[in-house]
Amino acid sequence: MKTSFFKIALGAMVGVFLAWTVVFLIFMVFGFIGSLMGGTNVENNSVLLLDFNQPIPEKSNNVASSPTDFSFEMDDVTGLYDMTRILEKAKNDDKIKGIFMDMSGTSMGNATASVVREALEDFKSEGKFIYAYADVYSQGAYYLSSVADSILVHPMGQVDFRGYSASIPFFKDMLDRLGVKMQIYYVGNFKSATEPYRLYGMSDENKLQVREYLEGLYQVFLEDISKSRGKSVDELRAIADGYQLRDADDAIQYGMVDGKAYRDEMIDILKDKLGIDKTDSKKKVKTISLGTYATTMEDKTEKERVVVIFAEGTIVDGEGAAGSIGGKKYAKLVRKARKSDKTKAIVMRVNSGGGSAFASEEIWRELEMAKAQGIPVIASMGDVAASGGYYISCNADTILAENNTITGSIGVFGMIPSAQKALKDKVGVSFDTVKTAKYATGISPFMDIGDEEGAIIQEGVDKIYEDFLKRVSDGRGMSRDEVHEVAQGRVWTGKKAKEIGLVDAIGGLDDAIEIAANMAGLETYSVSQFPKAKKPLEQILEDITGQPVAKTQTAIQENMIRTELGE
């Protein structure tokens, strides 16, 4: 009886598993068939629907994925570059009458928000409307929404408007109590990444730099809102300092929003704007999402091209995963670009807080070789291009940043934990060694690093810092001491970086592409984007079939043709 029971139970489990597998594959196949059916038909009198509930990568689909992510969605994760192009197309599309921004949640960096905001301003230049709505506006959501013709908030909602701050957790006391020693080696009084592990609070130098860059970011935030809402920067500062926007009525009173509305009332407002009879419940507002509208885009193809390499995420050794910058992978991308006869210029779009010095050097070297071939190299900075992110930008012929880009952080650190005391005091474990040479044990998390070994590590960190200074010095045409004066791990806003010579001009990716094309003497050209990113579902299908998605799509297309011909 027991054996029969277990056989039946096991059979049932296998059956359920196979059923779900079949369902999963059906969803994937239908998703691909849908993607093969051609472009989207945009209806007349449509509204482009925007929401920003997920982070915006620099390049579409170039995002880190988790092995636990199971999604049947076929939509792209629209990147910043494609988003601006889509908004430009919508501006000139007579079928798109306006934009509705659902600002229930936003997740983007300061520079990214500025680029999107500028694209929305450009959209309005054709006389088209933008309406924004949210239950509660975060500061980032309000910054983006301030460009709208009309900003509406839920009657019980709020606009969060209180200024910028930075709160940094410190772990030194906790580590002391646990008996864990963080052995830290660094260069630069402003290289603050290690402070939470070696100090109990912010150093004076760190407070100085954080206060300065926060004020720089805040000033851009206030100035942009001031232009859109017709309020002076001083007025806006006063509103934030007094925390005067405590509910929806306050937001209306101080002229920060244009009215209150429930979501159904917001829809009626859109109907009025579009000339739709709101008394007829059958008549709907025709909306189209950004991702769906993106399928109407067509890229021109020219023989000569500007290659844009999107370097976003942490810089790591090796190939790296999606959403990171693998030194080996990105060196290959630059190498492939520079060896192609079609490549006439390279733009490095950088959005990275840094990472591996070795990987940064690999990428730097390939960019140097591209320049040696006579290929112009332009660096375009996004939200962040700091530390290693600046390293892979510093040798560009021209460096552009946004006013509110965070850059610099020219410094180096190493951090090695030792649990020797914790193991001995907490659990009674200790280590003893026998070695054939003085430094044979190497670096171990179970033993403290001796003074002589520590001096060797610090010497290595100092050398990497000097190499970094040399890279910047050569790239920027500055002396070693001039670079050191603005380096030491200190971060700057893009605006300040231009003043001190770390950046050439304020501008975005489109400006960088235009400069690259001009330097290459191009009148007509294509823009090629790298790395090639896959949709999450495409990656899953490749893993299942063991072959590239393109082959799978071709097979599906061929089968569809045979079916249509009656084979």
Side-chain angles (χ1 to χ4, degrees):
M1 288 290 291
K2 290 181 180 178
T3 304
S4 298
F5 171 76
F6 283 118
K7 284 182 177 179
I8 293 169
L10 181 61
M13 290 171 64
V14 171
V16 170
F17 174 76
L18 291 175
W20 275 109
T21 301
V22 171
V23 171
F24 182 65
L25 289 172
I26 288 172
F27 267 103
M28 286 197 295
V29 170
F30 273 106
F32 268 105
I33 290 173
S35 70
L36 296 169
M37 290 300 186
T40 300
N41 182 31
V42 182
E43 296 186 67
N44 286 320
N45 213 30
S46 288
V47 174
L48 188 62
L49 178 62
L50 302 185
D51 67 59
F52 304 96
N53 292 321
Q54 59 184 353
I56 301 172
E58 290 289 341
K59 183 182 185 302
S60 295
N61 296 323
N62 192 27
V63 293
S65 60
S66 165
T68 59
D69 288 341
F70 292 102
S71 172
F72 295 126
E73 292 296 327
M74 289 301 297
D75 288 344
D76 288 321
V77 179
T78 306
L80 181 61
Y81 177 60
D82 286 336
M83 185 176 292
T84 57
R85 292 165 63 230
I86 292 166
L87 290 173
E88 183 177 10
K89 175 179 170 61
K91 176 187 74 172
N92 299 307
D93 188 342
D94 292 337
K95 293 180 179 180
I96 300 293
K97 302 303 179 184
I99 287 175
F100 174 60
M101 298 168 61
D102 187 343
M103 304 304 294
S104 301
T106 57
S107 181
M108 67 183 76
N110 290 288
T112 295
S114 291
V115 172
V116 175
R117 198 176 181 283
E118 186 177 334
L120 291 169
E121 284 277 16
D122 183 57
F123 177 87
K124 288 171 57 180
S125 67
E126 286 295 313
K128 298 186 176 185
F129 69 83
I130 299 179
Y131 280 11
Y133 180 82
D135 298 334
V136 175
Y137 287 93
S138 66
Q139 289 196 124
Y142 184 77
Y143 172 73
L144 208 55
S145 301
S146 63
V147 73
D149 300 288
S150 185
I151 306 174
L152 293 108
V153 64
H154 190 282
M156 294 189 69
Q158 183 188 15
V159 176
D160 187 19
F161 198 84
R162 63 182 79 196
Y164 283 11
S165 68
S167 298
I168 302 170
F170 284 78
F171 310 106
K172 183 69 168 68
D173 187 43
M174 179 194 73
L175 294 169
D176 289 345
R177 296 185 192 190
L178 294 173
V180 176
K181 179 194 291 186
M182 298 301 290
Q183 300 159 116
I184 296 168
Y185 308 90
Y186 67 99
V187 184
N189 294 330
F190 292 91
K191 196 67 175 177
S192 61
T194 63
E195 286 192 355
Y197 306 95
R198 59 182 171 86
L199 300 176
Y200 300 101
M202 296 172 70
S203 66
D204 291 341
E205 291 86 355
N206 195 21
K207 285 184 178 179
L208 172 65
Q209 73 171 345
V210 171
R211 184 176 294 111
E212 184 170 313
Y213 78 67
L214 277 182
E215 177 55 39
L217 298 177
Y218 189 42
Q219 187 66 23
V220 173
F221 173 82
L222 294 175
E223 287 175 356
D224 287 347
I225 293 173
S226 172
K227 293 171 187 173
S228 294
R229 297 301 298 177
K231 305 182 77 64
S232 71
V233 169
D234 289 341
E235 282 182 278
L236 294 172
R237 281 187 181 274
I239 290 171
D241 289 345
Y243 190 41
Q244 294 172 337
L245 306 186
R246 302 177 190 179
D247 57 32
D249 290 325
D250 291 337
I252 294 172
Q253 178 185 339
Y254 286 98
M256 300 296 279
V257 303
D258 299 295
K260 298 182 294 184
Y262 291 102
R263 190 166 289 270
D264 59 290
E265 293 175 323
M266 179 70 248
I267 294 171
D268 285 343
I269 291 170
L270 283 174
K271 285 183 175 181
D272 283 339
K273 186 69 177 178
L274 295 166
I276 299 172
D277 183 4
K278 62 185 179 183
T279 62
D280 188 347
S281 61
K282 293 182 180 179
K283 292 186 177 179
K284 309 292 184 183
V285 175
K286 288 176 283 192
T287 61
I288 183 168
S289 70
L290 191 73
T292 302
Y293 189 69
T295 63
T296 67
M297 298 290 292
E298 293 181 3
D299 289 319
K300 66 176 183 178
T301 302
E302 300 287 348
K303 183 177 180 180
E304 297 177 318
R305 65 186 185 182
V306 173
V307 172
V308 180
I309 299 176
F310 292 86
E312 53 186 323
T314 302
I315 301 173
V316 298
D317 294 327
E319 293 292 329
S324 69
I325 307 166
K328 191 175 293 295
K329 174 182 177 179
Y330 274 76
K332 287 179 184 175
L333 288 175
V334 178
R335 191 180 311 126
K336 182 178 179 181
R338 69 179 177 80
K339 287 186 175 182
S340 170
D341 293 337
K342 296 178 181 179
T343 301
K344 303 304 176 183
I346 295 173
V347 174
M348 287 294 293
R349 175 64 175 183
V350 181
N351 192 357
S352 173
S356 165
F358 183 83
S360 300
E361 175 76 4
E362 284 187 287
I363 299 167
W364 174 89
R365 172 61 179 167
E366 285 296 333
L367 291 170
E368 277 293 289
M369 295 179 75
K371 289 170 59 183
Q373 290 180 219
I375 298 173
V377 175
I378 310 298
S380 171
M381 296 178 172
D383 293 317
V384 183
S387 196
Y390 190 79
Y391 198 113
I392 63 175
S393 305
C394 69
N395 62 337
D397 295 298
T398 303
I399 301 176
L400 288 86
E402 300 289 347
N403 278 315
N404 48 5
T405 294
I406 295 295
T407 189
S409 193
I410 301 167
V412 184
F413 73 87
M415 189 161 54
I416 305 159
S418 170
Q420 178 175 308
K421 187 175 187 301
L423 288 169
K424 184 177 181 181
D425 295 349
K426 308 298 182 183
V427 295
V429 175
S430 60
F431 289 80
D432 200 357
T433 62
V434 175
K435 50 189 176 182
T436 59
K438 188 174 182 179
Y439 303 109
T441 54
I443 297 171
S444 168
F446 307 119
M447 289 177 283
D448 291 351
I449 293 172
D451 291 341
E452 291 181 331
E453 292 169 306
I456 292 172
I457 296 172
Q458 184 63 54
E459 182 181 313
V461 169
D462 291 341
K463 182 183 183 305
I464 294 173
Y465 179 64
E466 289 298 326
D467 289 342
F468 200 165
L469 294 182
K470 180 72 164 57
R471 298 290 179 251
V472 179
S473 173
D474 291 345
R476 302 304 300 157
M478 301 165 69
S479 70
R480 181 266 180 201
D481 291 343
E482 286 175 328
V483 177
H484 178 62
E485 187 176 344
V486 297
Q488 301 184 58
R490 186 165 184 177
V491 298
W492 308 91
T493 63
K495 182 178 181 181
K496 190 68 177 179
K498 181 178 181 296
E499 295 175 13
I500 61 177
L502 295 180
V503 165
D504 292 301
I506 300 301
L509 179 54
D510 286 337
D511 299 309
I513 292 170
E514 184 178 350
I515 290 171
N518 288 338
M519 288 186 68
L522 302 178
E523 293 185 3
T524 59
Y525 57 92
S526 299
V527 175
S528 295
Q529 303 180 50
F530 293 96
K532 298 299 183 184
K534 300 182 182 73
K535 300 175 185 179
L537 196 52
E538 291 176 340
Q539 186 62 60
I540 293 171
L541 192 60
E542 283 194 9
D543 292 340
I544 292 173
T545 62
Q547 62 181 5
V549 167
K551 289 184 178 180
T552 305
Q553 287 179 313
T554 300
I556 293 172
Q557 285 174 317
E558 288 176 353
N559 285 330
M560 290 171 66
I561 291 170
R562 290 194 187 99
T563 302
E564 289 170 2
L565 294 175
E567 293 184 12

